[in-house]
Each structure stands twice: as structure tokens, then as C-alpha cells.
Amino acid sequence: MSWTPSEKEIQAVLSLDAPKRYEHWVKKVADQEMIWSLWGENGWALVGDAVGHQLVPVWPHSRYAALCAE
């Protein structure tokens, strides 16, 4: 992995609105060809939407995933 986001970059991305965060995510995933998710003792960490679908959250770097895990 050649890219590691700085704390300043992470804070800037977190302050973006959803469409801009998604644009950032797509660019970084396309550049790095890698995504990150969370795995625990019960399997993949999942979230649910309003109609009951189970979703796997993914991030463009392990530092973003780690923030969500806290």
C-alpha cells in the first residue's frame, strides 16, 4: 500500500458531504485497488439499512476502518 492518509486528510474527508466522501472513496479505491472492512469474532461487521438489508461497510484505507471500529 503506497498511500497512507495523514490525520489532516482524514479530518478533511470526514468533514465532506456524502457525495464528496463517495467521490474520494471511488478515487482512492481505483488508485489503490484495495478496500478495507472489519472482521470480528462473529464474522464481518455489518450494518442494516431502513428496509432490513445487511450491508458490508468498506473504506479506502485501514485507518478509516479503524476509526469506525472504535
Side-chain angles (χ1 to χ4, degrees):
M1 176 181 352
S2 61
W3 165 69
T4 299
S6 67
E7 187 61 33
K8 184 177 179 178
E9 179 180 355
I10 290 171
Q11 291 308 312
V13 169
L14 293 177
S15 71
L16 296 173
D17 63 15
K20 290 291 184 187
R21 282 193 317 270
Y22 179 69
E23 185 178 313
H24 173 80
W25 182 87
V26 169
K27 181 182 180 331
K28 291 302 184 184
V29 168
D31 289 348
Q32 299 299 310
E33 299 180 345
M34 185 179 299
I35 59 172
W36 294 84
S37 192
L38 297 172
W39 178 268
E41 63 186 51
N42 295 319
W44 291 107
L46 303 174
V47 296
D49 68 7
V51 295
H53 296 112
Q54 297 245 317
L55 310 167
V56 179
V58 293
W59 296 271
H61 193 277
S62 63
R63 291 190 66 194
Y64 290 101
L67 286 173
C68 189
E70 292 177 1

